[in-house]
Amino acid sequence: MVWDVSFTCDICGKKKGEANHWWMVMLGDVPCFDQGQPSHRFTLLPWNMAESRNPDIYHLCGQSCAMTAMERFMTHGSIESELAAHSRR
Ligand SMILES: [Zn+2]
C-alpha cells in the first residue's frame, strides 16, 4: 500500500507510517460559555482517511501526543505551541 499524502504529527513532527495508531483532534466552538472560560471544545477522533485532509484537523501520532495536545489546549486554548503558531501565520 502506498501513501499518497504524508502526514506529520502536529505535536512532535513524526511522519505517519502505515502501522502507527494515529488520532485526530478538532477544535469546535462551545455553544454557551461563561466569561473567562474557554470558548472551544477539544474533540478527539480516531484516524479517518477522508477527514485527515481537512485543514481544521490536527494529526497526532499517539496517546502521548494526544495528552500533550490536550494539555496545551487546557493551558492556552491552542494545540500548537507558541512558536508553531507564529511561524504558520
Ligand atoms: Zn507525535
Side-chain angles (χ1 to χ4, degrees), residues 8-14 22 59-62 64-66:
T8 315
C9 176
D10 286 311
I11 301 298
C12 71
K14 195 162 110 179
W22 282 50
H59 309 109
L60 307 170
C61 68
S64 68
C65 282

Side-chain angles (χ1 to χ4, degrees), residues 19-48:
N20 300 348
H21 298 289
W22 282 50
W23 289 81
M24 308 189 299
V25 162
M26 203 174 186
L27 298 184
D29 291 328
V30 176
C32 314
F33 61 97
D34 293 329
Q35 193 87 47
Q37 288 290 95
S39 59
H40 289 100
R41 63 193 157 91
F42 182 100
T43 311
L44 185 68
L45 308 124
W47 186 266
N48 175 286

